[in-house]
Structures are given as C-alpha cells and as structure tokens.
Amino acid sequence: MTPDPAPRLAHSGTAAATDDATVTSSAVTGGEPGSVATNRAATAAQARGSRQPHAILPLRLRSALVLALVSLVGLAAYTWPFFLTPGAALDNSHGSDAPWFFVALLPLLVAVVVAEISAGGIDAKAVALLGMLAAVGAALRALGPGAAGLEPSFIVIVLGGRVFGRGFGFVLGSLTIFAGALVTGGVGPWMPFQMFAAGWVGLFAGMLPRCHGRVELAMLAGYGAVAGLVYGGLLNLWFWPFGAYSPEVSYIPHAGLGVNLHHYAVFWATTSLGWDIPRGLLTGLAVLVAGRPVMAALRRAARRANFG
Amino acid sequence: MIEFVDVSVTYDGAAAPVLAGVDLQVPEGELCLVVGPTGSGKSTLLRCVNGLVPHFTGGRLTGTVTVAGRSTRDHHPRDLADVVGFVGQEPLAGFVTEGVEEELAYAMESLGVSPPVMRRRVEETLDLLGLTELRGRPLATLSGGQAQRVAIGSVLTAQPRVLVLDEPTSALDPQAAEEVLATLQRLVHDLALTVVLAEHRLERVVQYADRLVVLPGDGAPVRVGPPTELMAASPVAPPVVELGRLVGWSPLPLSVRDARRAARGLRRRLADNPEAATAAGPAATVAATGPVEEPLAQVRHVVVRYGAVPALRGASLDVRPGDVVALMGRNGAGKSTLLKALVGLVEPASGDVRVGDLRPARSKPSTVVKVVGLVPQEPTDILYADSVGAECAAADREAAAEPGSCLALVRRVAGDVPLDRHPRDLSEGQRLALALAVVLTAAPRLMLLDEPTRGLDYGAKRRLVTTLRGLADAGHAVVLASHDVELVAEVATRVVVLADGDVVADGPTAQVVTASPMFAPQVAKILAPGPWLTVTQVAAALPAETPTMRRFSRRVAAEVTFRRGGDPTAEDAP
Amino acid sequence: MMRLSSDSTRQVRSLRPAHSITLARTLHPGAWWVWAIGLAAGASRLTNPIGCLLLLAVAGFVVSARRSRAPWAYAFGGFLKLALLIIVIRIVLQALLSTESQGVHTIVVLPQIPLPSGAAGLKLGGVVTWEAVITAFDQGLQLATIICCIGAANALASAQRLLRCLPGALYEVGVAGVVAMTFAPQLVADAVRVRSALRLRGYDGRSVAAVRRSAMPVLEGALARSVDLAAAMDSRGYGRTTVDRRATRMATAGLVIGGVVGICAGTYGLLGSAGSGWMGLPTLGLGCALAVVGLVVGGRRTGRSRYRPDPWALPEWLVAGSGVAAAVILFLLAHAHPGAAVPPYPLQMPEVPPLLLVGALVGVLPAFLAPPPPDRVVDKGRPR
C-alpha cells in the first residue's frame, strides 16, 4: 500500500504541499518541516469574484478532441435522415434500422467520452458534487412532468455547467438523465439520445462567454430557452423516421435534404412544437428566477469544498 | 498512537488560528474525549487526525500530526484509511452505497482487499456491531442508531487502529445513543481500539473517558489530562460535575453512581430546606401566574394518520399562558405529530385542535403564524435567504413588524451574529436562535419547538432556557418536544409523556420526571428521593459557604441576566 | 492485488450453488438486459400484430414471475401505459394528418382545416380511412412491443447492481451515479418536508415564489451533504488505489482516439454511398473494438476489488441465451416470410407461422429458468 504519486495532487487541485515561510518557521522551532498543504487557490477564487468558473473537470486537449469527434457522430445520430445517401449500407428496405443502429452505438460513445473526461481519476469532492447535482436533477425529473415536455432538470444542468465548466457540464447532463431514468425505471431506446443532448446542454453552458451580473443572467436565460427548444427538436428526430404518418410530414428515404428538412419542419411544427416552445420559455424563465440564488449556492459550495 | 506536536491550524481567509500550539499524545487503547464549546475547534482537531485538515478542507497546518508512525504531512486521508476510521456527525450523509453489506465493504473495495478477506471481515463486523439482522436492508430505511452503527462498521472493516467520531450521538435519542456508546465501549475494551470522540452531551460519555482534551476556545491553551482533574475547571460540564464542583467533592465524581455515594451528607442537608426546590425551579412561574387563565391551546382526542399508520390515537392536551410543556417519549411516539397538529401542518382525522379560537389546519397560514409558531427539527427548513440580514428583513416584512425587530430578537437570543453570514454557515445554536427569532417576529402566543437541543453545547442550551423562560414569564406558552432530560428539568413546568400516539402521563415536571429513571435528570438520580432536579435549585438551597459556591451562584446569576454574548464563531469545519 | 482478486472470483464462480436455477438469488442484471434486448430486436423484425401481442405477453409473464419487491420492479406498468400512449398518438396523428392515398375505405370524414400555403401538401382533418388507422395501429404496436421489452428489463434488473457492472474506466462516474440514485428519493422527501414547512412562515405553498423558496433549502442541503459525503469517501480510501501511469494513459488515449476516428469513418461510410465498402462496417467494427479496448485499458488504473460480484453462471447463460435464441428465430422468420403484402383492410386474421410460436416459447423460458428473487422467497417462508 504505497501512497499515491504526486501527480494526483495536481489533478485534485486542492492540496499542494509548498515550501514557504511556514516551513522555515517550524524548522526554526526544531520540529520536523511541518507545513502541509496550504491552499491559496480558494482565496484567489474569492478574489476573482464570481466571474471565473470553478472548472472541476477541465477538458484537456485530448478529451476535447474525443468529445468533438464523438459529438460529430452523435450529431449524425440525430440528423442522419437528412444526409443518408441512396444505396448506403444503412439505407435498406426497412427504413427503421438506422435509429436502432445509433441506439446501440451511442451508449458506447457516451461511455468513451465520459471515461476520457474522467481519465486519471476524479477526486472525491467532484464525484460527490456530481452525484448530488445529478440527484437534484433526477429528483426534479421525477417530480416534474418530464414526459409532457417540461424539463426542470435543465436548470441544474445549465447552471452547473456554467459554474463548474464544460467537462463537468457534459458529464452532469448525461448523468442526470441516466440517474433519472434508473430511478424512475425509464431506461429505453430514447435514453442515449437524451443523454447526449443533455450533455451538450451542459457543455455549451460551460462554453458561454464570460460576463456577470444581469448580463450573465439574461444570457443564461436566453441560452436555457434556446436549449429547451433545440433539445425538443433534436429528440423528435430519433423516432421521426419510424413513422409513416402521411407523406407530407414523414421521412422519405432518398428524397433529398431539402424535402426531408421541410417535412421535418412541418412535422415538428404540427406535433411537438407546442410542447417545445413552452419548455424553452419555462426553462428560460426558471433560469431568470432561480439563476442568481442557485449560482450563488453553487459557487459557495465550490468555495467551501475548496475546489480551486 | 496519535501524536500532535505544536499543531496550529488556520483556515483560508480566517484572521486567527482555530487551533494554536496543540501538543497531544494518545496512547493505544484509550478512549479520548474532546470537549469544548461550539467553535472551539473540536471538529478541526478530529479532522487533523486523519489528514482531512488540511488536505481536504484547505487552510494551513503547522507542526506535525503522526498516527501510527505515519505523518499526515505526506499521507492523505485515503492513505490513512487503514489506520484511522473517521465517522462524521450525519451518518446518512456519508453513505456511498445503498445497502448495509455493500456499505460495510466499500472501504475494503477502495483499498483493494481480496474478496475472501472482504467476505470474512464483513461477517465479523456484522456480528461485532450486532447488525446481522440488518444485512440486506437498504440504508435509507435504517433508524438513527442503526445508521450510526453501520457507519462505524463501515470504517471498521478496513481494520483501523484508531476510530475518530465527531459527535456520534448528538442527533440520537437516548436509547440509540446508549446502543452506540455501548458499541464503542466494547470496541475499546475487546479490540483495544484507540477512540477519539467529540461530544456535547457529556453526561452520556464523560464517565467512560480515559483522557480528556479540553478546548476552552477564545485562544486559551488546550489542556490534556485525566477527566477527574480536568473536569474541575472545564468550561463545559455535565450536571453531575456541576454538582460536584458546587459542593466541593474531591475526587470529582463523573458518574451518577460515584456522585450518589458521595452525596449522602448533601441529601441530609438538603432535606431541611425542601421549599427551595420549588422556589428556584421552573414551576415558580406557574405559581406566579396561577392556573386560572383560559387555555391558550386545546387538543381533544386527536387522531392523525399517515396513510394507514396512526401517529396519534386520541391524544388530549391543554396549554395555558405561562406554561412550558415538555413532550417526551421514544421516537415515533407522536411528539412531532402533536406539534404539527398544533400548528396545522397535519389535519386531524378526528378530534379537535384549537389555538385561541382558530383551527390551525383549516385557517390561512398567514393568520396561523400570528397565533402559533413552530421551530422545526431542522431549523434550516424555514430559512430561505442567503444571509442573516436578508432573512431578518424578510421576516419583518412577512410579519409587518417594525424593521429591525427580528434582528433585535436574534441578538437577544444569540448575541452578536454576523449579518452577512449565510444561515447554513452559522453554528447550531445561532441557527436555532435565528429560526426562533424569525418565528417570534410574528409574535405568536404559542411557541412550539421540535427537538431544539440537537447539537447545542451547554452555553447555547443555557441561553435557550433563559429565552424560553422569558417567553413564559411574558405570558406566552411554550411546548417543546425533547429527549434531553436535563433541558426539560431546567425549563419545563409540565411534562407530558407520549407513548404509541397517546398521552400516558401529564403533570408537573418534578413529579413526572422523578417517577421514572428513564426521564430523570442526573441531579434527581443523585438526590432521590428529594425533589431536586437541577444544580441551580441545589445552589439556591445551600447557603453560600465556600468560595466555589459563591463563584457558582455569581455565575448562575450572570447567566440569568444573560451576560454572555453569542457563540464565539461558527462551527469550525468550513 | 488484481491477480489475487480475479483468481478468487473465479473460485467463487465455480461453486455449484451459483449454477442452481432454483436457489433464490438475484440474477446478474446483464443477463436480463441481454434477454430483453434480444426480444426487442426480434420485435423490430415482426410485422405481424399477433406476434407483437405474443411478445408483449411473454415480457409481461416473465416480469410477473421473476420480479423482486424493489421499487423499480413496478416500472413495467408505466411502460405498458407508455406503450398504449404511443399507439393512441400514432392513430390520432394518422387520422388527423393522413391523406386518401393511404386507402379507400372511409371510416369518417372530419372537417378539414385549411392550412397556410407554407405547409405545402399537408392537410389537417378530412377523410379518415380504415387502411390508415390499421397501419398506424400495427406500427404503433410494434414500437410499443419494443418499448415494453425494454421495460421488462427495467423491472427485472436492479439498477444499482447494473451500475456496479460498469467498466473500470467509468468507476468514478458510476459512483456518482450510485450517489445520485441513492439521494434522489431523499431529496424528493426533503422537498416535501420543506414545502410543508412554508406554512410555518405564513406562505400558502402553491405560488411560484413558494416553490422557489422551498427549492433553495433543498439545494443547499444537497450541496452541504456533498461535502460531508466527499469527506467520508476520502477518509474511507476512495481513489487510493488509483494509479496514474503515463504509459497507460498514452496507450488509452491512442486507443480511444483511434477508436473514435474509426467510428466516425465507419458511420460516414454507412451513411454515404455504397461504393466505399471498406469505410462502412469493417471500419466501424474496428473503431468500436479499439474504443472498447481503450475502456478496458483505461479501467486498469483502479486497483479496487469487488465485494461479492454478481456471478455469471448457468442461469445467466440460460436467460441471456433465451433472448438471443428468440432474436435469431424471429430474424429467421422475417427472412422466411418477408412481409407478404397483405392489404390491411378488410381485417383478417394474420397467419401465425409455427416459427413465431417457437420464438415466443423460447423467450418465455426465463420465467422458469431464472432463480426466483430472494425477497419473494423469504416472504413465502415466513408466515406473517
């Protein structure tokens, strides 16, 4: 049982032994060199004020690359009906195989991204915070009428991503959906798609430009509204190709990008837009109302937990 | 086993160190008790043992802490997991898995212990802590005492040589606390485990301690030594020690048994002066007000059900102005439910609850709060703002009271509380004071408190007693549910014992409390069959003949006039 | 340490009791998922409504025979409702949006709502035909069957045990998932408690402001708990056996990036024109394999051991095998009867090929071959 090598310290970002004045002073009193783990990061964070996000799972170049590539495939998982070339391998007579192909592929992709972001280990504080916020989100999903289009857990995902950074936002988004599905016994083929979309919601929330005060709140509210709307639009896409509702709103293989886009737009407008718009507006409104105290609470927690 | 050499801890952003120059040695197999008022650095000291301070909390530690030869300087808490087991205050908050067995195995999994060894150790630990019946249970369904024992088991499976516990019984009722303490006793005696624990309720543990660490707070030096010596001058002491100090017994008794053997002479002396008991006791206020007034609240044959489970089966109760009624009884007896029925949080299935001329469950909340107020078990449930100042301002607005009236109440109860502090960062005592003040701002005549003494130190408890007596003297009525017999003896005029949803005893405190050893305070056990319940009563009955006693009477007087300010600072863990 | 633990796991696995199909124990959740996915895959090849109904009955029967008393075991009912909803929505949408081109047998003529010219070709209301409705029902039923098969896995497999089977590279996130699942119900209870406490401050508890007020204490409580939890985890050795070797990290990175590139290229190939054959499945398979190996190698960094891991013994093989076999049979069936173009109207009894019955019978085997869940057996044994 040897103690961990030093690099773990640097990763956890909480405690780095330093050789500063206190060492010398205790050395003078004759004790062993005894200064342990000072942490100026927290005070520095306080001095920085609330503007600087407390990035917990920072995206390194490698994880960013993996995330970008995987997101590309993820995007294809939603939007393939617009791009499927006639005669392609996925373009068979059934027409409904491609969605199942992606249902099978996406969990692997999510696993790869999350493993990559957490490579090198996540320290206990980050795991606990991640778990708790995902629990809050999952509880909100269980309480709120998630199926009817409302997605109250978006507040947690958006604000969590904003405060704790991109990598954390992505993992939080996917984990919230995952835990929510497990808690309510709602694991289904839609789950990988939801996990990806919610992960993006958290990711982009962490990538928004830096600003503060009312501007920040307005920006987040606007982002929440857009995210709520786009989330609905994307999620319809996974089951859209299954339907043969009527030729004018259905996915028609080989019909080309323009036709299918138009069909989908009509489909969206006539079916779920009535849910998606209120969802977007409510998410935006909720962020506007609860954003300030929630972000203050998250930042206070980050300070107390001494993340840097 | 544990060695502190000149240890000082300063948290980031704090002006003064929490601990300064602590030197401490705890040999193997000792039970070491850390005592001191809130904010004196008990939690910090405990967290230094396994390196949580400073690796986890941040801040700066100078000096060295060595446990079983490993210095916390270059060992993180996780590297000390097989040497030090750390159990926090809230067992439920520290559980990682969902079942008892998995929780017991968790530490071993993290350490990479091989499966056959894990299996064996889990079985051993189940037997050792008496958890065999609970092995398959989900953790969320455990009672407080069971959860605390599982928490202890979950660190024991890593086979540490030191066990550190931060207030393991402060959230527990007496029976559960007994279970946990008996378990600890066994671990010390049978396994020669070194145990370090902090505890507010000294009356429960001080007689078991081999060594005492007294943190006086306010920057005074830390004292370490045998309990009988140190208790003589400790800033916090259980009633038995207070009594011993008052009478000047030497050696100072720490348990009821020792004190009772020493008290033969005292009992004879006190027998001459029985009326002093009533003069200085809480019942004095009743005599002054008289029982003629109309009841402020009436509960008649109330039945309350949660689903199909009845919580109250026809309980009845009258509360008059000037009454301080203590509801006692085991967990699940219906104490909280009775309080909730009085404030209208639950609606009775049958029977009648009236406060003044209101039926609380049927009335608008905004009118109810002007008549009856409840401080719930978790005071933070009714605190919504992000600073003390904002909370007070909101309370003033809601009650349409003069701006500043809530803050004035807070200051009266808890002394100076920093206005910009978040309510959750306050100490337990300050948080309770804030919740109490918020409820009192609406000036209800009936005040209800659910388990107000959880986590309070003796100072905070004394302030609470003074506040509640002040309320009763001003014509309010107070009903509190509590397991804390010492508090009840100090403050209650009447005790109502509930069992299985019904009232089984109702009468003046002295009568009810001395009738059963379960509810008797330490002084009553020592001086039985006399009517004495508290040290204050005994002090009033004895002529001030020794310097110690003069000092004590002065201190009692000072506390009654409320000289002491608020708690020094918040509980130290950030 | 690793070697030791895996050796002894093997020993445990070879114990006889694990192979018994009558000794009560919790089945490995993976086995239930394989079985359910097998059934769902089979259902995706069924065009026969009778076959769909058969599979629904199979899933329902197995759930009722082998579910435990845990809260998630009641998830199947929810999935049934969802399935019903899917069918209803399908039919309603079809009825409202369909055009006459789908059939000639009219049920009813709804008033047609004129739409702006932007919705070119779309109509709302108008003629509703039998053909449209029956086709919608058949398709809805198929999707509903797939969903219910997955629902059966939800009801049968313990979610927490499933999380324990996550690969080592996802260990930390898995822990966060367990934490989330454990605390979410507690948070709901907290929220209820705090909300009722609003009355104590004179609020009604129904307004938006009240919801916001009660949300903050719950969130603050959760955040405070997360600090306590982290301290508890840290002092119990969490992350102690994590080793971070540069070589392993580089190898993992190479594998993962290679794998993801492969998956990208493979997907592109599958969606693109048929000409680029090597870009399709082979590349995709290679990419997936690399990514999986990357996950395994990345998981090496945790030197944890596992307490009583769920064994994968004979019953697991039987349950998983029954799912796979059912899928194979139904795929064969689809191959043998490639969806004869039966006109949906007038309604007629679809023929039931014997292969379909065989598939359903194979699928229902776990109701007898899986060991009963322990909590149901205990209850039977003890008179209450």
Side-chain angles (χ1 to χ4, degrees), chain C residues 155-194:
Chain C
L156 289 166
S158 151
Q160 270 117 354
R161 280 170 184 271
L162 191 69
L163 275 179
R164 293 180 72 192
C165 309
L166 279 183
L170 293 176
Y171 167 63
E172 288 93 349
V173 180
V175 172
V178 173
V179 169
M181 291 188 55
T182 319
F183 281 96
Q186 290 182 28
L187 287 175
V188 172
D190 280 4
V192 170
R193 199 189 68 226
V194 169

Short mmCIF file of all heavy atoms in Angstrom, two decimals, chain C residues 155-194:
data_model
loop_
_atom_site.label_atom_id
_atom_site.label_comp_id
_atom_site.label_asym_id
_atom_site.label_seq_id
_atom_site.Cartn_x
_atom_site.Cartn_y
_atom_site.Cartn_z
N ALA C 155 -37.77 -3.52 -15.11
CA ALA C 155 -38.45 -4.04 -13.93
C ALA C 155 -37.68 -5.20 -13.29
O ALA C 155 -37.76 -5.41 -12.10
CB ALA C 155 -39.85 -4.50 -14.30
N LEU C 156 -36.93 -5.95 -14.12
CA LEU C 156 -36.31 -7.16 -13.60
C LEU C 156 -34.89 -6.94 -13.08
O LEU C 156 -34.47 -7.58 -12.13
CB LEU C 156 -36.27 -8.23 -14.71
CG LEU C 156 -37.64 -8.82 -15.05
CD1 LEU C 156 -37.56 -9.58 -16.36
CD2 LEU C 156 -38.10 -9.73 -13.94
N ALA C 157 -34.14 -6.03 -13.73
CA ALA C 157 -32.73 -5.87 -13.37
C ALA C 157 -32.59 -4.74 -12.37
O ALA C 157 -33.16 -3.67 -12.56
CB ALA C 157 -31.91 -5.58 -14.62
N SER C 158 -31.82 -4.99 -11.31
CA SER C 158 -31.59 -3.95 -10.33
C SER C 158 -30.65 -2.90 -10.91
O SER C 158 -29.56 -3.21 -11.38
CB SER C 158 -30.97 -4.56 -9.08
OG SER C 158 -30.17 -3.62 -8.42
N ALA C 159 -31.10 -1.64 -10.89
CA ALA C 159 -30.31 -0.57 -11.48
C ALA C 159 -28.98 -0.40 -10.75
O ALA C 159 -27.95 -0.17 -11.37
CB ALA C 159 -31.10 0.73 -11.46
N GLN C 160 -29.03 -0.53 -9.42
CA GLN C 160 -27.80 -0.34 -8.66
C GLN C 160 -26.77 -1.41 -8.99
O GLN C 160 -25.59 -1.14 -9.12
CB GLN C 160 -28.09 -0.34 -7.17
CG GLN C 160 -28.40 1.03 -6.64
CD GLN C 160 -29.81 1.13 -6.09
OE1 GLN C 160 -30.58 0.20 -6.20
NE2 GLN C 160 -30.14 2.26 -5.51
N ARG C 161 -27.28 -2.65 -9.13
CA ARG C 161 -26.34 -3.72 -9.46
C ARG C 161 -25.78 -3.52 -10.87
O ARG C 161 -24.64 -3.84 -11.14
CB ARG C 161 -27.03 -5.06 -9.36
CG ARG C 161 -27.11 -5.53 -7.95
CD ARG C 161 -27.98 -6.73 -7.80
NE ARG C 161 -28.09 -7.07 -6.40
CZ ARG C 161 -27.25 -7.88 -5.77
NH1 ARG C 161 -26.27 -8.45 -6.43
NH2 ARG C 161 -27.39 -8.13 -4.50
N LEU C 162 -26.62 -2.96 -11.73
CA LEU C 162 -26.16 -2.69 -13.09
C LEU C 162 -25.00 -1.69 -13.05
O LEU C 162 -24.00 -1.84 -13.75
CB LEU C 162 -27.32 -2.13 -13.92
CG LEU C 162 -27.07 -2.04 -15.41
CD1 LEU C 162 -27.00 -3.43 -16.00
CD2 LEU C 162 -28.17 -1.25 -16.08
N LEU C 163 -25.14 -0.67 -12.19
CA LEU C 163 -24.09 0.34 -12.10
C LEU C 163 -22.79 -0.27 -11.60
O LEU C 163 -21.71 0.20 -11.93
CB LEU C 163 -24.52 1.45 -11.14
CG LEU C 163 -25.37 2.54 -11.76
CD1 LEU C 163 -25.75 3.57 -10.71
CD2 LEU C 163 -24.61 3.23 -12.87
N ARG C 164 -22.91 -1.33 -10.77
CA ARG C 164 -21.70 -1.96 -10.26
C ARG C 164 -20.96 -2.70 -11.37
O ARG C 164 -19.80 -3.05 -11.21
CB ARG C 164 -22.03 -2.92 -9.14
CG ARG C 164 -22.56 -2.22 -7.92
CD ARG C 164 -22.89 -3.20 -6.83
NE ARG C 164 -21.68 -3.75 -6.23
CZ ARG C 164 -21.69 -4.78 -5.41
NH1 ARG C 164 -22.81 -5.36 -5.10
NH2 ARG C 164 -20.58 -5.23 -4.89
N CYS C 165 -21.65 -2.98 -12.48
CA CYS C 165 -21.01 -3.70 -13.58
C CYS C 165 -20.35 -2.76 -14.58
O CYS C 165 -19.87 -3.21 -15.61
CB CYS C 165 -22.00 -4.57 -14.32
SG CYS C 165 -22.96 -5.62 -13.27
N LEU C 166 -20.40 -1.46 -14.33
CA LEU C 166 -19.79 -0.53 -15.29
C LEU C 166 -18.30 -0.84 -15.40
O LEU C 166 -17.67 -1.27 -14.44
CB LEU C 166 -19.96 0.91 -14.80
CG LEU C 166 -21.29 1.58 -15.06
CD1 LEU C 166 -21.24 3.02 -14.57
CD2 LEU C 166 -21.61 1.56 -16.54
N PRO C 167 -17.72 -0.62 -16.60
CA PRO C 167 -16.28 -0.88 -16.74
C PRO C 167 -15.47 0.04 -15.83
O PRO C 167 -15.92 1.11 -15.43
CB PRO C 167 -16.01 -0.56 -18.21
CG PRO C 167 -17.16 0.25 -18.67
CD PRO C 167 -18.32 -0.18 -17.85
N GLY C 168 -14.27 -0.43 -15.48
CA GLY C 168 -13.43 0.29 -14.54
C GLY C 168 -13.16 1.74 -14.93
O GLY C 168 -13.04 2.61 -14.07
N ALA C 169 -13.11 2.01 -16.22
CA ALA C 169 -12.81 3.38 -16.66
C ALA C 169 -13.92 4.33 -16.26
O ALA C 169 -13.72 5.54 -16.19
CB ALA C 169 -12.60 3.41 -18.17
N LEU C 170 -15.11 3.79 -16.00
CA LEU C 170 -16.23 4.66 -15.63
C LEU C 170 -16.51 4.55 -14.13
O LEU C 170 -17.57 4.95 -13.67
CB LEU C 170 -17.48 4.25 -16.41
CG LEU C 170 -17.42 4.49 -17.91
CD1 LEU C 170 -18.66 3.96 -18.58
CD2 LEU C 170 -17.29 5.98 -18.19
N TYR C 171 -15.54 4.03 -13.37
CA TYR C 171 -15.80 3.77 -11.96
C TYR C 171 -16.27 5.03 -11.22
O TYR C 171 -17.29 5.02 -10.54
CB TYR C 171 -14.54 3.22 -11.29
CG TYR C 171 -14.62 3.22 -9.79
CD1 TYR C 171 -15.58 2.46 -9.15
CD2 TYR C 171 -13.76 4.01 -9.02
CE1 TYR C 171 -15.68 2.47 -7.77
CE2 TYR C 171 -13.85 4.03 -7.65
CZ TYR C 171 -14.80 3.26 -7.03
OH TYR C 171 -14.90 3.29 -5.67
N GLU C 172 -15.55 6.13 -11.39
CA GLU C 172 -15.88 7.34 -10.64
C GLU C 172 -17.27 7.84 -10.99
O GLU C 172 -18.06 8.20 -10.12
CB GLU C 172 -14.86 8.45 -10.92
CG GLU C 172 -13.50 8.21 -10.30
CD GLU C 172 -12.56 7.52 -11.25
OE1 GLU C 172 -13.02 7.04 -12.31
OE2 GLU C 172 -11.36 7.44 -10.94
N VAL C 173 -17.57 7.87 -12.28
CA VAL C 173 -18.88 8.34 -12.70
C VAL C 173 -19.96 7.37 -12.22
O VAL C 173 -21.06 7.79 -11.85
CB VAL C 173 -18.91 8.51 -14.23
CG1 VAL C 173 -20.26 9.00 -14.68
CG2 VAL C 173 -17.84 9.50 -14.65
N GLY C 174 -19.60 6.08 -12.18
CA GLY C 174 -20.54 5.10 -11.63
C GLY C 174 -20.85 5.38 -10.17
O GLY C 174 -22.01 5.30 -9.75
N VAL C 175 -19.82 5.74 -9.41
CA VAL C 175 -20.05 6.09 -8.00
C VAL C 175 -20.98 7.29 -7.92
O VAL C 175 -21.93 7.31 -7.14
CB VAL C 175 -18.72 6.39 -7.29
CG1 VAL C 175 -18.97 6.94 -5.90
CG2 VAL C 175 -17.87 5.15 -7.20
N ALA C 176 -20.71 8.29 -8.76
CA ALA C 176 -21.58 9.47 -8.77
C ALA C 176 -23.01 9.05 -9.11
O ALA C 176 -23.97 9.57 -8.54
CB ALA C 176 -21.07 10.50 -9.77
N GLY C 177 -23.15 8.08 -10.02
CA GLY C 177 -24.48 7.61 -10.37
C GLY C 177 -25.17 6.93 -9.20
O GLY C 177 -26.35 7.18 -8.93
N VAL C 178 -24.41 6.11 -8.46
CA VAL C 178 -24.99 5.46 -7.28
C VAL C 178 -25.43 6.53 -6.28
O VAL C 178 -26.53 6.46 -5.71
CB VAL C 178 -23.98 4.49 -6.64
CG1 VAL C 178 -24.53 3.96 -5.34
CG2 VAL C 178 -23.66 3.36 -7.57
N VAL C 179 -24.57 7.51 -6.08
CA VAL C 179 -24.90 8.59 -5.15
C VAL C 179 -26.18 9.29 -5.60
O VAL C 179 -27.09 9.53 -4.80
CB VAL C 179 -23.73 9.60 -5.08
CG1 VAL C 179 -24.15 10.85 -4.34
CG2 VAL C 179 -22.54 8.97 -4.40
N ALA C 180 -26.24 9.59 -6.88
CA ALA C 180 -27.43 10.28 -7.40
C ALA C 180 -28.68 9.45 -7.17
O ALA C 180 -29.71 9.96 -6.73
CB ALA C 180 -27.25 10.57 -8.89
N MET C 181 -28.56 8.13 -7.43
CA MET C 181 -29.75 7.29 -7.28
C MET C 181 -30.16 7.14 -5.83
O MET C 181 -31.33 7.03 -5.51
CB MET C 181 -29.47 5.91 -7.85
CG MET C 181 -29.34 5.94 -9.33
SD MET C 181 -29.26 4.29 -9.94
CE MET C 181 -30.72 3.61 -9.25
N THR C 182 -29.16 7.12 -4.92
CA THR C 182 -29.50 6.97 -3.51
C THR C 182 -30.13 8.25 -2.98
O THR C 182 -31.05 8.20 -2.17
CB THR C 182 -28.22 6.67 -2.70
OG1 THR C 182 -27.44 5.77 -3.45
CG2 THR C 182 -28.56 6.08 -1.37
N PHE C 183 -29.61 9.40 -3.42
CA PHE C 183 -30.06 10.63 -2.80
C PHE C 183 -31.28 11.24 -3.47
O PHE C 183 -31.97 12.04 -2.84
CB PHE C 183 -28.91 11.64 -2.75
CG PHE C 183 -27.96 11.38 -1.63
CD1 PHE C 183 -26.80 10.67 -1.82
CD2 PHE C 183 -28.25 11.81 -0.35
CE1 PHE C 183 -25.94 10.40 -0.78
CE2 PHE C 183 -27.40 11.56 0.70
CZ PHE C 183 -26.24 10.85 0.48
N ALA C 184 -31.54 10.88 -4.72
CA ALA C 184 -32.69 11.49 -5.39
C ALA C 184 -33.99 11.27 -4.61
O ALA C 184 -34.73 12.24 -4.36
CB ALA C 184 -32.80 10.98 -6.82
N PRO C 185 -34.30 10.03 -4.17
CA PRO C 185 -35.53 9.88 -3.38
C PRO C 185 -35.51 10.68 -2.08
O PRO C 185 -36.52 11.23 -1.67
CB PRO C 185 -35.58 8.38 -3.09
CG PRO C 185 -34.68 7.75 -4.07
CD PRO C 185 -33.64 8.75 -4.38
N GLN C 186 -34.33 10.75 -1.45
CA GLN C 186 -34.24 11.52 -0.21
C GLN C 186 -34.50 12.99 -0.47
O GLN C 186 -35.09 13.68 0.35
CB GLN C 186 -32.86 11.35 0.42
CG GLN C 186 -32.65 9.96 0.98
CD GLN C 186 -31.30 9.83 1.63
OE1 GLN C 186 -30.73 10.80 2.13
NE2 GLN C 186 -30.75 8.63 1.63
N LEU C 187 -34.01 13.46 -1.63
CA LEU C 187 -34.23 14.88 -1.95
C LEU C 187 -35.70 15.15 -2.17
O LEU C 187 -36.21 16.20 -1.80
CB LEU C 187 -33.43 15.25 -3.20
CG LEU C 187 -31.93 15.37 -2.97
CD1 LEU C 187 -31.22 15.63 -4.28
CD2 LEU C 187 -31.64 16.49 -2.01
N VAL C 188 -36.39 14.19 -2.80
CA VAL C 188 -37.83 14.37 -3.01
C VAL C 188 -38.51 14.49 -1.64
O VAL C 188 -39.35 15.37 -1.42
CB VAL C 188 -38.41 13.20 -3.82
CG1 VAL C 188 -39.92 13.28 -3.87
CG2 VAL C 188 -37.84 13.21 -5.23
N ALA C 189 -38.10 13.61 -0.70
CA ALA C 189 -38.69 13.67 0.65
C ALA C 189 -38.37 15.02 1.31
O ALA C 189 -39.23 15.63 1.94
CB ALA C 189 -38.16 12.52 1.49
N ASP C 190 -37.12 15.47 1.16
CA ASP C 190 -36.74 16.77 1.71
C ASP C 190 -37.61 17.87 1.15
O ASP C 190 -38.07 18.76 1.88
CB ASP C 190 -35.28 17.10 1.34
CG ASP C 190 -34.29 16.39 2.23
OD1 ASP C 190 -34.76 15.61 3.07
OD2 ASP C 190 -33.08 16.63 2.08
N ALA C 191 -37.81 17.83 -0.17
CA ALA C 191 -38.58 18.88 -0.82
C ALA C 191 -40.00 18.91 -0.26
O ALA C 191 -40.55 19.98 0.01
CB ALA C 191 -38.61 18.66 -2.33
N VAL C 192 -40.58 17.73 -0.05
CA VAL C 192 -41.93 17.68 0.50
C VAL C 192 -41.94 18.28 1.90
O VAL C 192 -42.81 19.09 2.24
CB VAL C 192 -42.43 16.22 0.54
CG1 VAL C 192 -43.71 16.10 1.33
CG2 VAL C 192 -42.61 15.69 -0.87
N ARG C 193 -40.93 17.94 2.70
CA ARG C 193 -40.86 18.44 4.07
C ARG C 193 -40.71 19.97 4.09
O ARG C 193 -41.42 20.68 4.79
CB ARG C 193 -39.68 17.79 4.79
CG ARG C 193 -39.77 17.85 6.29
CD ARG C 193 -38.48 17.39 6.92
NE ARG C 193 -37.41 18.32 6.65
CZ ARG C 193 -36.20 17.96 6.26
NH1 ARG C 193 -35.91 16.70 6.07
NH2 ARG C 193 -35.26 18.86 6.03
N VAL C 194 -39.77 20.46 3.28
CA VAL C 194 -39.52 21.90 3.27
C VAL C 194 -40.76 22.64 2.77
O VAL C 194 -41.11 23.72 3.27
CB VAL C 194 -38.30 22.22 2.39
CG1 VAL C 194 -38.18 23.70 2.15
CG2 VAL C 194 -37.04 21.70 3.05
#
